[in-house]
Amino acid sequence: MPFLYTPDGTGKNVDIKKSKIPRAGKGLYAKKDFVKGDFICWYMGFLIEEDMVDNGYYDSDYLLKLNGKNMYICAEDKKSCYGRFINDGLSKYKSNCVFETYNNTNSSGIIAKRKIKKGDELYINYGPEYWSDNRYTKLNQEDKEFIDNMNI
């Protein structure tokens, strides 16, 4: 599957730079103001059948379940999309974006959940499945304590 950077192929909506979250690596930042419901960027990659993931044959930190489909998007490849750089803000209050599934194209987009100002880091709730025991046990003690006390 070819990777797609459109309609944000020029980087007009987002920028990738160091996240404000300690030890998170890179983050996704708004290059312009957004209002609730605005499309920000794509979350695209390879399509993986649900059975492959559910039966443990495929695992990645970049899997997103497509609503209403028996498929996942895997955006692990660094060239897959800008959306792969969005972090979980580890708080329902920091989350300023949501995923939206487009079933006709088997893709997903990142949508503004509320007003976002130019320069703000974009955050999304990965969901409780992401913070499963497998990922949780790989964290250092400080991060485990943070997640244990977060308000999601």
Side-chain angles (χ1 to χ4, degrees):
M1 174 183 145
F3 296 118
L4 182 66
Y5 278 95
T6 57
D8 192 25
T10 61
K12 66 178 181 174
N13 288 346
V14 294
D15 197 13
I16 300 164
K17 54 187 177 181
K18 184 172 174 36
S19 176
K20 294 176 184 173
I21 299 173
R23 299 176 298 284
K26 295 179 180 177
L28 197 63
Y29 288 82
K31 285 181 81 172
K32 66 179 197 173
D33 293 340
F34 293 99
V35 296
K36 182 178 180 178
D38 280 352
F39 177 89
I40 297 174
C41 67
W42 290 103
Y43 192 92
M44 297 187 74
F46 291 105
L47 296 176
I48 308 295
E49 291 186 28
E50 184 176 40
D51 288 347
M52 296 291 289
V53 175
D54 292 349
N55 292 315
Y57 294 112
Y58 195 91
D59 187 31
S60 171
D61 286 341
Y62 296 90
L63 289 174
L64 175 65
K65 175 81 166 84
L66 287 171
N67 291 333
K69 296 278 189 168
N70 294 328
M71 300 164 85
Y72 285 83
I73 293 173
C74 179
E76 189 166 4
D77 189 296
K78 292 179 182 175
K79 297 178 183 175
S80 61
C81 61
Y82 288 111
R84 73 181 299 280
F85 292 99
I86 195 165
N87 287 312
D88 187 322
L90 304 175
S91 165
K92 65 181 177 182
Y93 305 107
K94 275 190 178 180
S95 177
N96 54 12
C97 296
V98 294
F99 288 114
E100 184 170 313
T101 298
Y102 305 107
N103 286 325
N104 59 334
T105 58
N106 293 324
S107 60
S108 185
I110 295 175
I111 307 299
K113 181 176 162 181
R114 62 174 185 256
K115 185 178 178 181
I116 299 170
K117 294 180 183 176
K118 180 180 177 180
D120 285 352
E121 185 166 3
L122 304 173
Y123 298 112
I124 206 158
N125 184 342
Y126 288 173
E129 298 84 22
Y130 182 85
W131 298 109
S132 66
D133 289 339
N134 186 29
R135 286 186 180 89
Y136 179 83
T137 56
K138 293 179 183 176
L139 296 173
N140 65 39
Q141 188 59 37
E142 184 180 356
D143 288 338
K144 284 181 184 179
E145 289 172 6
F146 184 79
I147 289 172
D148 288 343
N149 294 309
M150 69 180 173
N151 299 317
I152 56 172

